């Protein structure tokens, strides 16, 4: 699991999570799992798809940033070299999800999205921040509750061809 492997996998995750297909799946999950819990489910259903598109394009590349201290930076400084297995790639994906769901990460994401990365440049920064504060703690667990093994294989193989057998 080298610096290059880590960087390739993290870049592959960011690319996948910001693809049209993935964002559509994310929106479907949020409409089904998060909007029914909203105090105004109809408003949530109407406004969430466009809003999540904007969030996803900031959230995923911001979190899955290979050079970040919480991603590949420690490994890249260590200069470790060895082959990666499919199980290790999946374990790396899961470690990223586990970290994403930590209270510290959720708080940092809310703070970042509420600032100039998203809400600070929106039409109604206060409303945007309030929605982010309510949405993110519900959205991230909903989005990660049922991982798609085919997406994992695709992410790992896009990053390091031949890492995982295909279905």
């Amino acid at each position: 699991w080298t610096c290059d492997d880590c960087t390739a996998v993290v870049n592959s995750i960011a690319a996948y999570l910001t693809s049209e297909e993935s964002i559509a799946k994310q929106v479907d999950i949020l409409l089904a799992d998060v909007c029914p819990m909203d105090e105004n489910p109809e408003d949530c259903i109407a406004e969430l798809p466009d809003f999540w598109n904007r969030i996803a394009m900031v959230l995923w590349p911001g979190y899955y940033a290979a050079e970040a201290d919480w991603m590949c930076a420690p490994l890249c400084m260590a200069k470790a070299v060895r082959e990666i297995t499919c199980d290790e790639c999946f374990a790396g994906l899961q470690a990223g999800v586990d970290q994403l769901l930590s209270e510290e990460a959720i708080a940092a994401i809310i703070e970042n999205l509420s600032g100039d990365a998203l809400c600070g440049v929106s039409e109604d920064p206060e409303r945007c921040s309030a929605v982010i504060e309510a949405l993110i703690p519900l959205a991230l667990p909903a989005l990660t509750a049922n991982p798609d093994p085919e997406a994992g294989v695709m992410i790992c193989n896009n990053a390091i061809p031949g890492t995982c057998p295909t279905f």
Side-chain angles (χ1 to χ4, degrees):
W1 186 236
T2 66
C3 174
D4 289 346
D5 292 341
C6 181
T7 299
V9 171
V10 169
N11 289 341
S12 183
I13 296 167
Y16 172 74
L17 290 174
T18 54
S19 69
E20 227 175 279
E21 175 191 355
S22 177
I23 291 175
K25 287 180 183 177
Q26 294 168 46
V27 166
D28 288 345
I29 291 167
L30 297 175
L31 290 173
D33 295 355
V34 174
C35 284
M37 295 188 283
D38 193 90
E39 55 190 42
N40 298 308
E42 299 82 17
D43 289 349
C44 181
I45 289 167
E47 296 175 22
L48 184 120
D50 286 341
F51 193 53
W52 190 259
N53 256 288
R54 293 195 353 250
I55 291 171
M57 298 310 281
V58 174
L59 171 63
W60 300 129
Y63 179 70
Y64 288 104
E67 71 285 355
D69 289 342
W70 59 86
M71 283 294 151
C72 302
L75 183 64
C76 292
M77 292 166 75
K79 304 280 186 224
V81 178
R82 64 181 185 81
E83 291 297 306
I84 177 177
T85 66
C86 185
D87 286 344
E88 288 171 326
C89 186
F90 268 69
L93 298 178
Q94 187 59 52
V97 168
D98 293 346
Q99 180 176 274
L100 177 72
L101 296 177
S102 72
E103 283 183 38
E104 183 181 324
I106 289 173
I109 288 165
I110 291 168
E111 183 179 334
N112 188 296
L113 292 175
S114 295
D116 291 340
L118 183 77
C119 292
V121 295
S122 70
E123 289 177 21
D124 186 348
E126 282 185 26
R127 179 168 185 256
C128 178
S129 294
V131 172
I132 288 293
E133 200 170 318
L135 177 62
I136 294 301
L138 299 174
L140 297 182
L143 292 171
T144 58
N146 297 300
D148 177 357
E150 287 182 34
V153 167
M154 186 181 74
I155 288 165
C156 291
N157 284 340
N158 281 348
I160 307 157
T163 302
C164 296
T166 52
F167 293 104

